[in-house]
């Protein structure tokens, strides 16, 4: 089998770490066209630690957890802040745009429960949400696939975000969100994908309103 490249290793760490739990002697890695077998699990852990350590130097702090023979090993690198120590298993991390995946899972879950349909108009959760001038409404699936036509950020938020770089959305209220959605999208929904933090946030709040529960509660009850 061909030897792994550095690019492959970037994807191997989590796959291999997960495989350790199921294989007593070897870990089989299947990466499509490139597959091979790792015989030394210690090398996997060491490689993972080295890679995360390099990232920690670039991004302040990082932590990694690996399960070996039923035992969890946790290693922290860098620092948690200007006056903080190394992160550990109790450190909280912002997961950033991973939240978009969680929100998409909530949408899929709501569809299987019969609570919503993928092509359901956004106006069922935001009655005052404006449609594009073509008349095409924004659908829930458009928000999940970045094809809603909404901009990356709501109007007016960019200036506010520059003043609160540590948490740009901290002061953005639901009332402001409702108001922002009264502005019709400039691009027709369902077209070319354009990344939108705004649209992802709207989807999360729409699902919460339809379910009648806060977003955080939905995540806790249905995903976590």
């Amino acid at each position: 089998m061909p030897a792994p490249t550095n690019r492959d290793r970037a994807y191997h760490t989590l796959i291999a770490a997960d495989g350790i739990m199921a294989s007593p002697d070897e870990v089989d890695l299947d990466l499509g066209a490139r597959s091979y077998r790792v015989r030394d699990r210690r090398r996997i852990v060491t490689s993972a630690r080295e890679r995360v350590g390099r990232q920690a130097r670039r991004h302040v702090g990082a932590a990694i957890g690996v399960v070996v023979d039923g035992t969890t090993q946790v290693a922290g690198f860098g620092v948690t802040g200007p006056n903080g120590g190394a992160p550990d298993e109790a450190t909280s991390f912002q997961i950033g745009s991973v939240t978009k995946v969680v929100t998409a899972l909530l949408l899929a879950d709501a569809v299987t429960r019969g609570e919503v349909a993928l092509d359901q108009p956004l106006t069922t959760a935001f009655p005052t949400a404006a449609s594009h001038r073509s008349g095409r409404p924004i659908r829930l699936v458009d928000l999940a696939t970045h094809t809603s036509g909404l901009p990356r950020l709501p109007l007016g938020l960019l200036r506010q975000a520059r003043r609160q770089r540590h948490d740009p959305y901290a002061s953005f209220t639901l009332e402001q969100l409702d108001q922002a959605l009264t502005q019709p999208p400039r691009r027709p929904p369902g077209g070319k994908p354009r990344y939108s933090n705004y649209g992802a946030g709207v989807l999360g709040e729409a699902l919460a309103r339809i379910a009648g529960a806060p977003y955080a509660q939905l995540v806790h009850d249905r995903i976590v």
Side-chain angles (χ1 to χ4, degrees):
M1 292 183 179
T5 65
N6 288 335
R7 182 176 181 182
D8 292 333
R9 295 181 192 278
Y11 296 98
H12 294 171
T13 301
L14 292 179
I15 298 173
D18 183 65
I20 288 172
M21 295 186 293
S23 178
D25 300 311
E26 298 174 337
V27 176
D28 291 314
L29 301 179
D30 185 358
L31 299 174
R34 187 180 293 275
S35 302
Y36 56 90
R37 180 164 293 177
V38 177
R39 298 181 182 277
D40 187 347
R41 289 171 294 167
R42 294 184 182 85
R43 286 176 53 198
I44 296 173
V45 177
T46 300
S47 176
R49 286 175 181 243
E50 291 175 352
R51 177 167 292 278
V52 174
R54 289 195 296 271
Q55 293 298 320
R57 289 191 290 272
R58 295 176 54 200
H59 302 292
V60 182
I64 181 173
V66 179
V67 178
V68 179
D69 295 328
T71 301
T72 301
Q73 299 181 10
V74 178
F77 305 87
V79 295
T80 57
N83 300 312
D88 57 23
E89 64 273 14
T91 302
S92 295
F93 288 88
Q94 290 188 0
I95 62 173
S97 285
V98 174
T99 308
K100 294 181 176 64
V101 180
V102 175
T103 303
L105 286 172
L106 282 177
L107 173 60
D109 180 78
V111 170
T112 61
R113 291 170 182 263
E115 295 177 352
V116 302
L118 290 177
D119 60 355
Q120 185 168 320
L122 177 61
T123 49
T124 57
F126 290 88
T128 59
S131 297
H132 184 260
R133 62 177 180 272
S134 65
R136 165 74 150 76
I138 297 173
R139 305 172 303 172
L140 299 185
V141 69
D142 298 327
L143 297 166
T145 56
H146 296 277
T147 57
S148 66
L150 294 175
R152 189 181 184 93
L153 294 173
L155 293 176
L157 180 60
L158 182 58
R159 182 179 300 176
Q160 177 177 309
R162 288 172 177 168
R163 297 194 300 266
Q164 298 175 308
R165 292 180 182 274
H166 64 288
D167 190 354
Y169 303 95
S171 300
F172 193 73
T173 66
L174 291 178
E175 289 74 18
Q176 288 176 300
L177 181 61
D178 280 292
Q179 180 60 36
L181 285 172
T182 63
Q183 300 293 323
R186 295 181 178 179
R187 294 182 298 274
K192 181 180 178 180
R194 291 180 181 270
Y195 193 83
S196 175
N197 289 318
Y198 177 23
V202 168
L203 177 59
E205 177 60 19
L207 293 172
R209 293 187 180 190
I210 292 170
Y215 176 85
Q217 182 179 330
L218 287 181
V219 173
H220 180 273
D221 295 345
R222 300 183 178 188
I223 306 298
V224 179

